[in-house]
């Protein structure tokens, strides 16, 4: 009877196991690198900012908070934060308030010309909004909306509304119609059924589309720069772009970096707070079963 002995195999290093970690690290470094550099610039002293060679990791004697204090001392930056928040929140609520019922109507009601309406909504979504600038400027001048929050709220709502309708419609299509039929049997009207039953079930979709609309309104620059010329009504992107130094020869790198950090931080907090809802909204309907 012969016995075979297993020969020990020499196991070499598997380089394929490093591909994924290295790829993830490179993507994170590429994505977070500018953000980290901007934050470090906002807390470094002016000498450390302009020093050659660059100071990548500032020491304790090269850290300062004066850029943030100067930001509020020189300009009413708290007012700019309020302006951006008010315009973004209002336009987002209007998008959801008009977009959700419109999407439900396009999903459940047999409207004449439904395909034409959906095609027009899709075309508007693909249309570059910057091409609407001259037409919107004429309308703002005609209705006298210059230096008025409505000059920003109305365009932001109109631009984000088609995307809201398309996204919400796809979620309404996934809801079982038997649930709505049961609600009607129980005495619910269309409005009460939409408010108490349908919309709570599509909360992840509403959060996802709402955050997309909010980010667009918060970061928009061209309309806010042109339609609002009063300093007290400026939004954060415009105020950050118009920051000046103590003299015409000074470039306020630290103060500008502090303004961008304060302008980005609310969006980061918002996304992290609604992270689960966003993931549910993006992945809902991806697997059917």
């Amino acid at each position: 009877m012969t016995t075979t002995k297993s020969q020990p195999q020499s196991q070499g290093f598997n380089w394929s196991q490093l591909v994924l970690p290295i790829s993830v690290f490179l993507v994170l470094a590429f994505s977070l690198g500018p953000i980290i550099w901007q934050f470090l610039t906002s807390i470094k002293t002016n000498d450390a900012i302009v020093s050659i060679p660059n100071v990548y990791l500032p020491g304790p004697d090269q850290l300062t908070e004066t850029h943030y204090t100067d930001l509020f001392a020189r300009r009413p930056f708290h007012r700019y934060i309020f302006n951006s928040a008010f315009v973004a929140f209002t336009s987002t609520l209007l998008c959801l308030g008009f977009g959700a019922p419109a999407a439900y109507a396009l999903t459940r009601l047999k409207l004449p010309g439904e395909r034409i309406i959906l095609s027009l909504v899709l075309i508007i979504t693909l249309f570059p909004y910057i091409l609407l600038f001259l037409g919107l400027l004429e309308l703002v001048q005609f209705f006298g909306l210059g230096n008025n929050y409505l000059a920003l709220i109305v365009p932001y709502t109109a631009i984000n509304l088609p995307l809201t309708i398309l996204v919400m419609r796809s979620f309404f299509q996934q809801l079982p119609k038997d649930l709505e039929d049961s609600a009607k049997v129980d005495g619910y009207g269309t409005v009460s059924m939409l408010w108490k039953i349908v919309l709570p079930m599509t909360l992840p979709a509403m959060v996802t589309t709402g955050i997309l609309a909010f980010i667009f309104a918060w970061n928009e620059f061209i309309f806010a720069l042109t339609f609002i010329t009063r300093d007290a009504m400026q939004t954060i992107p415009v105020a950050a772009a118009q920051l000046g130094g103590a003299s015409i020869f000074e470039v306020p790198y630290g103060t500008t970096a502090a303004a961008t950090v304060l302008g980005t931080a609310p969006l980061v907090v918002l996304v992290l707070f609604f992270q689960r809802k966003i993931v549910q909204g993006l992945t809902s309907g991806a697997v059917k079963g």
Side-chain angles (χ1 to χ4, degrees), residues 5 21 33 38 58 89 117 143-144 148 151 171 184 196 237-238 241 248-249 255 262-263:
K5 295 182 179 180
Q38 197 76 346
F89 271 116
I117 296 175
F143 290 104
N148 192 310
F171 277 84
K184 291 180 180 179
K196 296 181 180 180
V238 178
I248 60 175
F249 303 102
T255 308
L262 289 179

Side-chain angles (χ1 to χ4, degrees), residues 218-277:
W218 183 275
N219 292 329
E220 202 282 323
F221 179 78
I222 299 298
F223 295 165
L225 176 66
T226 308
F227 301 158
I228 303 295
T229 58
R230 189 181 303 171
D231 181 74
M233 299 185 65
Q234 290 179 349
T235 57
I236 292 179
V238 178
Q242 295 181 350
L243 286 175
S247 64
I248 60 175
F249 303 102
E250 179 186 355
V251 180
Y253 294 110
T255 308
T256 304
T260 56
V261 170
L262 289 179
T264 309
L267 300 180
V268 175
V269 174
L270 187 67
V271 172
L272 292 178
F273 184 78
F274 291 104
Q275 182 179 6
R276 289 188 176 182
K277 295 297 182 183

Side-chain angles (χ1 to χ4, degrees), residues 56-283:
Y56 295 100
L57 295 177
D61 57 337
Q62 296 175 319
L63 298 177
T64 181
E65 75 284 350
T66 55
H67 299 309
Y68 289 93
T69 57
D70 291 344
L71 190 63
F72 290 91
R74 296 182 182 181
R75 305 289 294 274
F77 208 78
H78 60 280
R79 181 69 184 181
Y80 304 147
I81 296 176
F82 170 80
N83 294 336
S84 294
F86 178 76
V87 171
F89 271 116
T90 305
S91 62
T92 301
L93 291 178
L94 289 176
C95 281
L96 296 177
F98 289 106
Y104 181 80
L106 290 173
T107 305
R108 293 292 187 248
L109 303 181
K110 301 299 181 181
L111 299 176
E114 178 181 352
R115 292 185 178 273
I116 298 177
I117 296 175
L118 291 176
S119 300
L120 292 175
V121 172
L122 180 60
I123 292 174
I124 295 174
T125 304
L126 300 176
F127 194 80
Y129 78 92
I130 194 62
L131 299 181
L132 304 174
F133 172 73
L134 292 178
L136 288 175
L137 181 60
E138 294 290 337
L139 292 176
V140 169
Q141 294 176 346
F142 178 79
F143 290 104
L145 295 178
N147 291 323
N148 192 310
Y149 289 126
L150 290 177
L152 300 180
I153 293 174
V154 174
Y156 294 168
T157 304
I159 292 172
N160 289 319
L161 193 58
L163 178 62
T164 304
I165 293 175
L166 291 177
V167 174
M168 293 299 299
R169 180 178 179 271
S170 65
F171 277 84
F172 285 136
Q173 287 178 329
Q174 299 170 11
L175 295 180
K177 198 172 184 301
D178 296 339
L179 183 64
E180 301 173 27
D181 295 336
S182 301
K184 291 180 180 179
V185 172
D186 293 337
Y188 282 91
T190 303
V191 177
S192 60
M193 178 183 62
L194 181 65
W195 179 258
K196 296 181 180 180
I197 297 178
V198 177
L199 289 182
M201 297 181 63
T202 59
L203 185 60
M206 296 186 66
V207 171
T208 304
T209 54
I211 288 180
L212 292 177
F214 183 89
I215 291 176
F216 169 82
W218 183 275
N219 292 329
E220 202 282 323
F221 179 78
I222 299 298
F223 295 165
L225 176 66
T226 308
F227 301 158
I228 303 295
T229 58
R230 189 181 303 171
D231 181 74
M233 299 185 65
Q234 290 179 349
T235 57
I236 292 179
V238 178
Q242 295 181 350
L243 286 175
S247 64
I248 60 175
F249 303 102
E250 179 186 355
V251 180
Y253 294 110
T255 308
T256 304
T260 56
V261 170
L262 289 179
T264 309
L267 300 180
V268 175
V269 174
L270 187 67
V271 172
L272 292 178
F273 184 78
F274 291 104
Q275 182 179 6
R276 289 188 176 182
K277 295 297 182 183
I278 296 175
V279 173
Q280 293 177 9
L282 294 176
T283 58

